[in-house]
Amino acid sequence: MAFWKLWDHIWNLFVILLCLCECSVAQISYVIAEEVDKGTAVGSLAKDLHLSVQQLQTSGLQIKSGYLKRYFEVDRESGNLYVNDRIDREELCPNMLKCALNIEASLSNPRGLHRIEVVITDINDNAPAFVEEVTTVEISESSYVGERYPLARAHDADVGINSVKTYKLSPNEHFSLDVQSTGEQNVFAELVLQKVVDREKQPHYELILTALDGGKPPKTGSLLIKVNVLDVNDNSPAFSYPLYKVQVVENAVLGTTLLRLAASDLDEGVNGQVVYTFTEKGRLSPDDTFFLNNETGEVTVKGSLDFEETQAYEIRVQARDKGNPPRSAHSKILVEVIDVNDNVPDISVSSLMSPVSEDAEIGTAVARVQVNDRDGGKNGKTNCKIMNSVPFQLKSNYKNYYSLSTSGSLDRETVSEYNITLLATDDGTPSLSSTHIITVQVSDVNDNPPRFLDSQINVYVKENSPIGTTMYKLKAVDADLDENAKSTYQLIKTPNVKAQMTSLVTINSETGEITSLKSFDFEELKTFQFKVQATDFGVPPLSSNVTVNVFVLDENDNSPSILAPYSEHGSVNSENIPYSAEAGYFVAKIRAVDADSGYNALLSYHLSEPKGNNLFRIGTSSGEIRTKRRMSDNDLKSHPLLVLVSDNGEPSLSATVSIEVVVLESTADMQTPFRHVPLKEDNFSDLNLYLLIAIVSVSVIFLLSLISLMAVRCHRTEGSFSRYSAPMITTHPDGSWSYSKATQQYDVCFSSDTLKSDVVVFPAPFPPVDAELISINGADTFTRTQTLPNSEKVRQSCGSKLNMKLLLGWVSIRSFIFLKCSDFYCLYTCLFILF
């Protein structure tokens, strides 16, 4: 006994500590056993509220609760919470495993409100008790050994281990006790007849039935059983069968008759009249599902039947006569519920492996599928298949288990997600089915390289653009995802690209922006080409290339340049004309060139000064200054002219040249710097001999060089993008050949006037691109005569080139002779000998 009390105190202490740990965060919690004495300390409330004894006097601590009784109070001196009234757990929390009292502790200084929970633990303070103190059992003297008689149950207000656990019967020779248990708190006993009784020997028996709980020590409760032995009715009813079997469909209509019980009694009169009853009560009482007619023994359906919940019912019945004392017989009814196909198959998916890599091999497992049908027999047999056309297959593993695996190749770029529809059907009549959709994602594999929209990209950039100008933004498209779709860009150095081209541009490896590294000059570089490679971040990485053609667009950034003899800056340009000059008399020819191309190099000539000039005019396109009319006596002898040469660019650029035209009375006064009247010499001087030898030597060297150049150029072929193109010779409407640095070609400028003709040859630092040969007719109209491509092999026209070079040589030597020779007639003689 002392051990168990010590154990209870240890257990209570453990529970108290456990509750204090759990409630330290949210509230103050105490544990105390029920039925403790008044004044028992529950806990130090002042300590838990962090109040000293002095603070407790001034804090205004009050205990409040919503209960009728004031179960707890606070000791104002010690601050302890103690029991103020009797605590009965069974009264406060009947049939509850946990019982707790919630009170509130309020403080006025400082103001505060605290929740206190007091857990009441159960003690074995209630003994088992029967509803009645005496019960009567009537037994016929003709009862057979082994007959059973149910006894009343005892009830215990305690819970758990302190509730009723067993029964005991007082010792006797005629009866025994059979104790049965259907649960922790569901223990009952039956009285079993062990020996035939005889009313004449002993008409009454008194037995004590004792109920014991599980407490330590256990408490008991007793019931007085009075057994009366009845006489006369010595025949019991007898059932036709000890066991009745019947079948019923699960959707049977209420009121459907299952069977009719039949029990016979050999006695007569009331001793032979039988009453039928169900003997079982409680949780599995058949009264909820079936109805038994006491008089006829007919059993009918009273409630709903469900095969999936209960497939069979075992019912105990009793037939009891009306004799005095009555006799009874017992039998069983086994009701078998027949299944109806009223449940659709249920599809469940487990071990789903999604996403599936697009390079997964055929037969790769994706998921496990299980099909369940709550019906029985063939109604519960199922089949499962895939409804839609997908590269997956369903294989049966065992009974209703299936495995879902791939049956074909996957391509995420074509289909990134599959919705697989499964159809499950049973073998019932009619068949029921259900569907389930499995979503399988396809994960990406780096199987697609970055791709450009075009194999070649043309980029146009204006010349003189600042360094760092974004010329173009490349974009490569990759059908993959995430890292496999991210691309990095880089320039590719190829042998066929000039070294200086690689330093012209740079590319942002992340954005693909092509940025210039220098300011381009159309007159120096018109076009160049490079390659860019886009590489993704996949493993292994994939890449592709694109060719970028860059075309530099010309801008009007070069002013016209005046050619000799008027090109010297600050020089005084003077021209003489006779007073007798007719209208249209040729005064001078202004020649200019522009390093730009196209309209930016198309020049026009205008007279700017003096205003109101009506004596001279200039050809807008030719630059020839001529007289408008004959001279008059009122005209000035000297006429300053300002010639403006402007191009057609936007905005237009221009250059000016000043010419002073002097009117002479006599043509004899006119002199030209290019003509010197030769003096007749009788003898062939040494100077003439040296000059002749020099001219012959230069001519021979020139002819040999010309023949070699012709042989090379006639067999030369042109390459593709980076090779030289055919030269372009452009003739202006004024009859001159102009040279443009933009097209990089030889230009020859001359006029029809013999004394003022000259040849200007400019070397070309770079080969030109595609050009056209343009000729000008006498009406100042342009005519395209030939196009010179640069992408095919072109056989140069040797004859036309020979004529052109002969013409250039003849004009050059002719001009040289005019400038250097002193003997006019000797020079002409030499020229005729040579040519």
Side-chain angles (χ1 to χ4, degrees):
M1 183 69 70
F3 172 80
W4 290 114
K5 287 184 179 181
L6 179 60
W7 171 255
D8 284 342
H9 288 300
I10 295 174
W11 173 255
N12 293 335
L13 180 61
F14 174 77
V15 174
I16 290 172
L17 294 175
L18 181 62
C19 293
L20 286 175
C21 293
E22 292 179 349
C23 302
S24 60
V25 176
Q27 63 183 6
I28 301 174
S29 182
Y30 302 106
V31 178
I32 191 171
E34 64 171 333
E35 301 294 348
V36 295
D37 297 333
K38 293 181 181 182
T40 302
V42 178
S44 180
L45 185 59
K47 180 180 179 181
D48 295 333
L49 294 177
H50 305 289
L51 297 175
S52 64
V53 178
Q54 292 77 11
Q55 291 175 331
L56 185 64
Q57 303 299 329
T58 61
S59 62
L61 177 61
Q62 293 183 357
I63 300 299
K64 297 180 182 180
S65 66
Y67 305 103
L68 296 178
K69 295 181 180 180
R70 194 172 183 84
Y71 293 100
F72 304 98
E73 282 293 346
V74 176
D75 189 343
R76 301 293 178 178
E77 295 180 356
S78 63
N80 291 333
L81 183 69
Y82 64 90
V83 177
N84 186 53
D85 202 345
R86 176 177 176 269
I87 300 175
D88 187 0
R89 183 188 181 283
E90 286 70 28
E91 178 183 350
L92 294 174
C93 310
N95 301 322
M96 293 180 63
L97 295 178
K98 179 180 180 181
C99 181
L101 296 179
N102 295 316
I103 59 177
E104 293 180 351
S106 61
L107 300 175
S108 60
N109 182 26
R111 185 176 297 275
L113 184 64
H114 301 271
R115 182 183 176 185
I116 302 173
E117 182 189 63
V118 180
V119 178
I120 309 302
T121 59
D122 182 46
I123 64 173
N124 192 21
D125 58 342
N126 290 280
F130 293 89
V131 178
E132 298 176 350
E133 296 181 356
V134 179
T135 184
T136 302
V137 176
E138 295 181 345
I139 300 176
S140 175
E141 61 176 338
S142 59
S143 296
Y144 298 104
V145 174
E147 288 187 356
R148 295 172 176 267
Y149 303 92
L151 300 177
R153 298 182 183 181
H155 300 277
D156 195 326
D158 295 326
V159 294
I161 195 172
N162 295 327
S163 62
V164 176
K165 296 302 178 183
T166 187
Y167 293 89
K168 292 184 178 179
L169 186 65
S170 58
N172 65 91
E173 61 177 349
H174 291 88
F175 302 95
S176 65
L177 192 65
D178 185 11
V179 180
Q180 300 180 13
S181 175
T182 59
E184 185 178 356
Q185 294 183 340
N186 191 11
V187 181
F188 61 94
E190 290 183 341
L191 189 64
V192 180
L193 182 62
Q194 296 291 336
K195 185 177 180 181
V196 177
V197 294
D198 188 357
R199 188 191 66 81
E200 287 71 24
K201 292 181 178 181
Q202 187 175 350
H204 305 286
Y205 295 88
E206 290 187 358
L207 306 175
I208 302 299
L209 178 64
T210 303
L212 295 89
D213 59 21
K216 302 295 183 178
K219 291 184 178 295
T220 61
S222 60
L223 172 67
L224 176 61
I225 303 175
K226 292 184 177 182
V227 179
N228 296 325
V229 180
L230 303 179
D231 194 23
V232 178
N233 188 20
D234 54 354
N235 291 287
S236 300
F239 284 99
S240 303
Y241 304 98
L243 176 64
Y244 292 87
K245 293 183 179 181
V246 64
Q247 292 181 337
V248 60
V249 295
E250 60 177 329
N251 57 356
V253 182
L254 300 181
T256 301
T257 301
L258 298 181
L259 77 161
R260 186 183 296 272
L261 296 175
S264 61
D265 194 324
L266 299 178
D267 294 326
E268 294 182 351
V270 293
N271 293 331
Q273 296 178 2
V274 179
V275 176
Y276 302 93
T277 57
F278 293 131
T279 59
E280 290 183 343
K281 304 291 181 183
R283 187 179 63 88
L284 297 178
S285 175
D287 290 333
D288 299 333
T289 308
F290 304 99
F291 173 75
L292 175 60
N293 191 310
N294 295 335
E295 300 296 332
T296 62
E298 185 179 52
V299 180
T300 58
V301 176
K302 179 181 178 181
S304 61
L305 302 175
D306 189 356
F307 175 83
E308 288 70 38
E309 292 184 1
T310 306
Q311 300 179 5
Y313 293 88
E314 182 179 336
I315 306 172
R316 295 179 180 273
V317 293
Q318 172 184 270
R320 183 177 181 181
D321 59 23
K322 296 181 180 180
N324 189 14
R327 296 182 64 89
S328 61
H330 299 84
S331 181
K332 292 182 181 179
I333 302 175
L334 183 60
V335 180
E336 182 181 358
V337 181
I338 300 176
D339 180 49
V340 174
N341 192 24
D342 56 350
N343 290 278
V344 298
D346 177 61
I347 303 174
S348 60
V349 179
S350 61
S351 303
L352 177 60
M353 313 210 29
S354 178
V356 179
S357 177
E358 62 178 324
D359 61 350
E361 297 181 356
I362 296 177
T364 300
V366 176
R368 189 179 73 169
V369 179
Q370 182 180 1
V371 181
N372 295 316
D373 195 321
R374 297 179 61 191
D375 295 323
K378 67 176 184 178
N379 295 332
K381 293 183 179 179
T382 58
N383 298 295
C384 190
K385 63 180 180 179
I386 299 176
M387 290 290 294
N388 48 346
S389 178
V390 291
F392 295 90
Q393 60 184 351
L394 198 65
K395 292 184 178 179
S396 176
N397 293 339
Y398 174 74
K399 291 185 179 180
N400 55 343
Y401 289 90
Y402 301 85
S403 61
L404 180 66
S405 60
T406 59
S407 62
S409 59
L410 305 178
D411 186 4
R412 190 206 62 81
E413 289 71 37
T414 303
V415 181
S416 61
E417 179 181 281
Y418 290 94
N419 291 321
I420 307 170
T421 302
L422 302 181
L423 174 66
T425 58
D426 58 24
D427 292 342
T429 304
S431 177
L432 300 179
S433 63
S434 64
T435 59
H436 184 84
I437 296 177
I438 301 177
T439 300
V440 178
Q441 304 285 343
V442 181
S443 62
D444 184 50
V445 173
N446 191 27
D447 56 351
N448 290 279
R451 298 189 182 276
F452 295 95
L453 298 180
D454 299 309
S455 60
Q456 289 195 2
I457 297 176
N458 295 329
V459 178
Y460 300 90
V461 59
K462 292 183 179 180
E463 67 169 332
N464 302 322
S465 297
I467 297 175
T469 300
T470 300
M471 303 164 52
Y472 192 81
K473 184 175 182 180
L474 291 175
K475 180 62 178 178
V477 180
D478 197 320
D480 295 323
L481 286 178
D482 301 330
E483 295 298 321
N484 297 332
K486 294 180 181 179
S487 299
T488 180
Y489 305 89
Q490 63 179 355
L491 294 175
I492 301 178
K493 294 184 179 181
T494 54
N496 60 342
V497 178
K498 293 184 178 180
Q500 63 267 27
M501 297 299 180
T502 59
S503 62
L504 299 179
V505 295
T506 183
I507 186 169
N508 190 307
S509 61
E510 295 181 359
T511 63
E513 292 183 350
I514 301 175
T515 307
S516 61
L517 294 178
K518 63 171 292 184
S519 180
F520 300 106
D521 188 357
F522 178 80
E523 288 70 39
E524 294 181 359
L525 180 64
K526 295 178 176 58
T527 181
F528 60 93
Q529 181 188 78
F530 59 90
K531 289 186 177 181
V532 176
Q533 183 181 67
T535 306
D536 59 27
F537 287 85
V539 179
L542 302 177
S543 61
S544 63
N545 303 336
V546 65
T547 301
V548 180
N549 301 322
V550 180
F551 297 93
V552 181
L553 302 178
D554 181 49
E555 286 192 340
N556 192 24
D557 57 347
N558 290 281
S559 301
S561 299
I562 308 299
L563 299 180
Y566 308 110
S567 59
E568 295 183 5
H569 181 71
S571 62
V572 178
N573 302 300
S574 178
E575 294 291 344
N576 300 328
I577 64 172
Y579 179 77
S580 60
E582 298 291 336
Y585 181 83
F586 180 81
V587 178
K589 182 177 179 64
I590 307 300
R591 287 178 291 274
V593 295
D594 195 318
D596 294 321
S597 64
Y599 283 98
N600 296 330
L602 185 60
L603 305 179
S604 59
Y605 302 85
H606 306 277
L607 287 177
S608 298
E609 292 183 4
K611 294 184 179 179
N613 172 51
N614 60 356
L615 184 59
F616 300 96
R617 62 180 174 83
I618 187 171
T620 304
S621 58
S622 64
E624 293 182 352
I625 303 175
R626 295 180 182 272
T627 59
K628 290 183 179 180
R629 56 177 175 81
R630 287 178 59 85
M631 299 294 172
S632 66
D633 295 337
N634 297 327
D635 293 329
L636 299 175
K637 299 304 181 180
S638 178
H639 300 273
L641 301 178
L642 181 63
V643 180
L644 175 67
V645 183
S646 58
D647 56 27
N648 285 332
E650 290 293 338
S652 178
L653 302 178
S654 61
T656 60
V657 62
S658 298
I659 300 177
E660 185 176 3
V661 181
V662 180
V663 181
L664 303 178
E665 294 294 336
S666 173
T667 57
D669 298 333
M670 296 180 60
Q671 295 181 358
T672 176
F674 299 99
R675 180 184 298 180
H676 300 278
V677 179
L679 297 176
K680 288 239 182 183
E681 292 186 3
D682 294 336
N683 297 324
F684 190 79
S685 64
D686 293 338
L687 179 62
N688 293 339
L689 180 60
Y690 296 151
L691 181 61
L692 181 61
I693 294 173
I695 292 174
V696 171
S697 301
V698 171
S699 300
V700 171
I701 295 173
F702 173 77
L703 289 175
L704 291 176
S705 302
L706 184 62
I707 292 171
S708 301
L709 181 63
M710 290 169 55
V712 173
R713 295 300 296 271
C714 289
H715 292 83
R716 182 181 169 188
T717 59
E718 287 192 348
S720 59
F721 191 85
S722 62
R723 302 204 174 200
Y724 289 4
S725 301
M728 182 178 75
I729 301 175
T730 306
T731 305
H732 286 291
D734 60 354
S736 65
W737 297 347
S738 65
Y739 165 76
S740 173
K741 289 182 180 179
T743 54
Q744 302 176 358
Q745 58 207 16
Y746 292 96
D747 285 0
V748 180
C749 304
F750 68 93
S751 68
S752 58
D753 181 47
T754 305
L755 298 179
K756 298 181 181 294
S757 299
D758 59 356
V759 176
V760 181
V761 180
F762 296 85
F766 293 100
V769 293
D770 296 350
E772 294 182 349
L773 183 61
I774 307 297
S775 65
I776 309 299
N777 56 22
D780 290 350
T781 59
F782 290 92
T783 304
R784 180 178 298 175
T785 59
Q786 183 178 3
T787 301
L788 302 178
N790 66 344
S791 59
E792 299 178 358
K793 284 189 177 182
V794 179
R795 190 78 172 179
Q796 303 292 336
S797 175
C798 299
S800 60
K801 291 187 177 181
L802 177 60
N803 294 334
M804 180 60 66
K805 297 184 181 295
L806 289 175
L807 177 59
L808 293 174
W810 181 78
V811 173
S812 300
I813 297 173
R814 180 171 174 267
S815 301
F816 175 78
I817 293 173
F818 276 120
L819 293 173
K820 301 299 181 181
C821 289
S822 61
D823 193 339
F824 183 82
Y825 297 100
C826 178
L827 292 176
Y828 266 99
T829 302
C830 293
L831 289 174
F832 280 110
I833 292 174
L834 289 172
F835 296 100

